[in-house]
Amino acid sequence: MLTSATLTVLTLSNVVCLLHICTDSLVAIHCSSDHPNIKIGLKIKYTLNNYVDLAFLIPEGWKRDDPPPPKY
C-alpha cells in the first residue's frame, strides 16, 4: 500500500518503477483536495509589506549562510 496526498501522475509512475509494483494489480484512487470547508488561515497583525507575521516560519537564530529551513 502506498499513500500520498500530493503524488503526481509522473511521480507515481516513477515510484511504481522504483518499487517494482506490478501494474496488473495496481489500483490508483485519485481524489480531489479541493474542499471548500478547508482553508489556510493566517492572522495578520502587521502590515503586509514587512512579512513580520511570517517570522514563525524561520527558525530562531537562523542566519543567511545557514542551510534553508525545512519545507512545510
Side-chain angles (χ1 to χ4, degrees):
M1 181 173 169
L2 175 77
T3 62
S4 172
T6 58
L7 203 62
T8 65
V9 174
L10 178 62
T11 307
L12 175 60
S13 66
N14 290 338
V15 170
V16 167
C17 182
L18 287 170
L19 297 179
H20 304 287
I21 297 173
C22 178
T23 56
D24 295 340
S25 60
L26 176 66
V27 176
I29 301 171
H30 301 274
C31 298
S32 171
S33 60
D34 184 18
H35 295 279
N37 61 331
I38 299 174
K39 296 175 179 58
I40 297 175
L42 179 67
K43 196 172 221 176
I44 303 296
K45 182 177 177 184
Y46 301 96
T47 60
L48 294 177
N49 63 353
N50 67 17
Y51 302 103
V52 174
D53 289 310
L54 300 175
F56 72 95
L57 296 171
I58 307 298
E60 195 168 323
W62 184 84
K63 295 178 184 59
R64 187 174 286 254
D65 295 334
D66 291 346
K71 292 183 179 184
Y72 288 87

